[in-house]
Amino acid sequence: MPYVVTRSCCADASCVLACPVNCIHPAPGEPGFATAEMLYVDPQTCVDCGACTSACPVDALKPHTALGEAELPFLQLNADYYKTNPHDDRTPMYVVPRQRTLPAGELKVAVVGAGPAGLFAADELLRHPGVSVTVHDRLPTPYGLARAGVAPDHQDTKQVTRLFRTIESQPGFSYRLGVEIGTDLTHTDLLREHHAVIYAVGAATDKRLGIEGEDLPGSVSATDFVAWYNGHPDRAHDEHRLDTERAVVIGNGNVALDVARILTADPDTLARTDISDRALAALRTSRIREVVLLGRRGPAQAAFTVPELLALSALKDVDVTVEGWPEGLDADAAPTDEKTRLLAQLAARTPSEDRRRIVLRFLTAPARLTGDGRVEALEINPTTLHTDEDGTVRALASGDTETLDTGLVLRSVGYRARPVPDLPFDEATATVPHEAGRVEPGVYVAGWIKRGPTGFIGTNKTCAHETVESLLDDFAHGRLTRPVSAVDVAPHALGLQDWHAIDHAERTAGQAQGRPRVKFTDTESLHRAAKNTQAVTA
């Protein structure tokens, strides 16, 4: 009975370490690990011990006999990986990083950003005795995109926060939440108080389309829309009119699929999640019947992952179709990979007239948004693919313009980081230049500000490990400046116990409604919950 990796895999490789027979790949250090959509269990080698399930932070590993109907395709997906990636060499298992003997005295590190990248960096540091870490974030709550980016109907993925709570419980860990670097504290303040600073600030903005009408009301960043339905304090009180029968999402990555699912989901199902109450109320009155996802390139170049496409195709109450299967690709022919095979199956489906619909449309580029005071239509053009000498596939607009009637257009074409005050910044890549995470001795980066918006939650673990190794090397060789004094912390800063009080209050409110939690979505409510002396640590 082999175990199977399913959709919620975060690729943090904890299961690789736990497996006694080295049957989970790709592992850190192996080709393909950094870009892998998920990890895979070799059914021929698995000994059914279940050690991987205890290590997995998101319950992605299951015995094949426990798979639900929607998860059954993952059994074949795991097995197929080893047909083309046999791993006959069985490279040594991923091992726990060595515990260093650090120079005498405490190593004090500030981490800026309390999302997965920042918390994994804190975890790597706290593996070594004599290290203290203070994690800073401008929001009153930690966990970044794990709290405010993962779709509410993906509660299994959100279980990674259990791992974050374990990290928080380690000696030497502390928070300063609700503190913005550059406003409440400066880069110089952090260096004066710590030996080193790791910036793990992510990519907070989105890329723009650069087309006419993009700023009309009804044209929305998917980044902001996701923050809205997840109750992010910056966006929780936005207004989004859902009084149109068709919404269009420009882009076809995993975030685009998330948005499409939420817009077509049964509100009663969403009511059992931690979705924002304000967003849930809006979705209950939504008139949207169809969500069209536009991709400039073809099916083979689609940005969504196979696990997310499998989950989308398994929806019971929503039709998922492919409109206008691109010329030159025979939907009945043998597919070239798993992604196009699944898309060919969807293209062959006959949609029902009485159900909501998600349409995946390829080789289509947005040209112009039009409307009198707000979006009323999107003009689109067909595209053709051109392969450059270096192998890059580009989509070039061609042919006649078509008009899609719509009152809501969401751009989901990628995240982009903002410059970090007092640090160098590469505008072309929207990252901070570094070498193995080191900007200079004492200043480091991890996560998307380091490598760009690529990878998954667990990818940040190996990314953080590399950065922390650079930091510890600098400390061991005397390259870091000793702290000279503490700084005055803003009176509104929240600590670990304050966050525990917020967490407890949200969970208690959720328990009363049969939900994981009911989020506080404004700063005032969050601070009030933090100071509730009756709260019990969760």
Side-chain angles (χ1 to χ4, degrees):
M1 182 180 72
Y3 277 73
V4 180
V5 181
T6 60
R7 181 205 58 77
S8 60
C9 177
C10 71
D12 85 330
S14 296
C15 55
V16 176
L17 174 62
C19 178
V21 293
N22 196 19
C23 75
I24 305 175
H25 296 272
E30 293 180 339
F33 173 76
T35 57
E37 294 181 347
M38 58 182 284
L39 306 185
Y40 306 86
V41 173
D42 183 353
Q44 301 301 317
T45 310
C46 177
V47 294
D48 188 27
C49 69
C52 55
T53 61
S54 299
C56 179
V58 292
D59 290 346
L61 282 138
K62 301 179 180 180
H64 83 270
T65 53
L67 297 175
E69 181 181 352
E71 296 171 322
L72 286 174
F74 286 96
L75 179 62
Q76 190 64 47
L77 187 64
N78 278 245
D80 285 348
Y81 171 79
Y82 289 91
K83 294 177 182 178
T84 53
N85 304 274
H87 289 280
D88 293 331
D89 56 335
R90 292 292 172 187
T91 54
M93 286 191 295
Y94 179 54
V95 296
V96 177
R98 74 186 190 280
Q99 189 177 77
R100 292 180 180 238
T101 301
L102 301 177
E106 184 180 51
L107 170 61
K108 299 181 66 175
V109 181
V111 174
V112 181
L119 290 171
F120 279 127
D123 188 38
E124 292 290 332
L125 285 161
L126 293 170
R127 295 175 187 271
H128 308 282
V131 179
S132 66
V133 179
T134 302
V135 178
H136 300 69
D137 202 283
R138 71 176 187 85
L139 294 178
T141 56
Y143 304 165
L145 289 180
R147 176 180 168 95
V150 175
D153 62 340
H154 279 358
Q155 289 296 311
D156 47 5
T157 303
K158 291 195 175 193
Q159 290 184 80
V160 73
T161 59
R162 295 181 302 185
L163 173 59
F164 297 158
R165 288 196 286 274
T166 300
I167 294 171
E168 293 169 349
S169 69
Q170 298 179 78
F173 183 97
S174 63
Y175 274 133
R176 282 179 183 163
L177 301 173
V179 174
E180 186 167 9
I181 308 305
T183 302
D184 299 307
L185 290 173
T186 67
H187 176 67
T188 302
D189 289 334
L190 295 179
L191 287 175
R192 191 167 71 245
E193 193 179 23
H194 302 84
H195 290 87
V197 182
I198 299 176
Y199 285 91
V201 294
T205 61
D206 62 290
K207 296 178 181 177
R208 291 180 60 81
L209 300 171
I211 62 174
E212 183 181 344
E214 185 173 6
D215 293 320
L216 281 170
S219 171
V220 183
S221 154
T223 304
D224 291 347
F225 195 76
V226 169
W228 170 69
Y229 63 61
N230 271 317
H232 191 294
D234 289 351
R235 308 258 52 118
H237 298 283
D238 288 355
E239 297 282 351
H240 294 292
R241 288 175 55 177
L242 308 180
D243 56 352
T244 178
E245 291 196 358
R246 176 190 289 130
V248 178
V249 182
I250 300 172
N252 56 20
N254 286 349
V255 173
L257 265 58
D258 285 347
V259 169
R261 280 199 328 278
I262 296 302
L263 284 171
T264 55
D266 179 358
D268 287 339
T269 300
L270 292 177
R272 297 192 291 271
T273 74
D274 61 350
I275 191 171
S276 156
D277 287 344
R278 189 181 185 91
L280 180 62
L283 289 165
R284 286 194 182 281
T285 60
S286 170
R287 292 180 51 219
I288 293 174
R289 302 293 301 171
E290 178 181 85
V291 180
V292 180
L293 278 71
L294 301 183
R296 290 176 179 268
R297 299 190 294 173
Q301 294 84 32
F304 49 69
T305 61
V306 170
E308 289 298 334
L309 181 60
L310 275 171
L312 192 76
S313 66
L315 293 176
K316 294 296 186 184
D317 52 354
V318 177
D319 282 326
V320 182
T321 65
V322 178
E323 187 174 284
W325 187 255
E327 184 179 352
L329 281 177
D330 185 354
D332 296 323
T336 57
D337 56 35
E338 184 67 15
K339 187 175 291 185
T340 52
R341 184 185 71 80
L342 288 168
L343 288 169
Q345 291 177 353
L346 292 173
R349 287 184 178 181
T350 301
S352 171
E353 291 297 325
D354 60 348
R355 293 168 57 158
R356 290 178 177 172
R357 182 184 308 177
I358 296 173
V359 179
L360 304 175
R361 181 164 177 170
F362 298 97
L363 297 176
T364 305
R368 184 167 72 113
L369 288 163
T370 62
D372 183 10
R374 65 173 291 106
V375 170
E376 296 174 359
L378 171 66
E379 295 180 1
I380 57 176
N381 292 123
T383 64
T384 56
L385 298 183
H386 173 77
T387 304
D388 294 339
E389 291 184 0
D390 63 359
T392 302
V393 178
R394 292 188 295 121
L396 305 177
S398 62
D400 297 331
T401 297
E402 179 185 346
T403 299
L404 291 178
D405 292 332
T406 179
L408 179 64
V409 174
L410 300 114
R411 63 180 181 275
S412 182
V413 292
Y415 292 96
R416 181 178 172 84
R418 296 190 182 105
V420 179
D422 300 313
L423 267 62
F425 190 73
D426 184 332
E427 287 288 349
T429 62
T431 59
V432 171
H434 66 91
E435 183 177 343
R438 179 192 295 107
V439 181
E440 61 183 41
V443 182
Y444 308 85
V445 286
W448 283 359
I449 193 64
K450 170 186 173 183
R451 67 180 192 273
T454 60
F456 309 96
I457 289 175
T459 311
N460 292 295
K461 188 172 184 176
T462 49
C463 174
H465 172 68
E466 178 187 60
T467 295
V468 169
E469 285 293 296
S470 295
L471 188 159
L472 295 177
D473 283 343
D474 287 344
F475 186 54
H477 289 88
R479 301 186 189 116
L480 304 184
T481 302
R482 293 184 62 84
V484 293
S485 64
V487 298
D488 292 331
V489 182
H492 56 266
L494 301 180
L496 179 59
Q497 294 307 314
D498 297 317
W499 158 238
H500 281 172
I502 294 171
D503 186 43
H504 175 77
E506 289 185 339
R507 288 170 178 273
T508 300
Q511 187 175 21
Q513 299 182 27
R515 303 169 64 182
R517 67 174 65 236
V518 176
K519 290 178 180 174
F520 298 110
T521 59
D522 63 88
T523 300
E524 182 179 344
S525 297
L526 287 162
H527 277 266
R528 191 162 52 243
K531 300 308 178 184
N532 180 1
T533 57
Q534 301 302 313
V536 179
T537 301

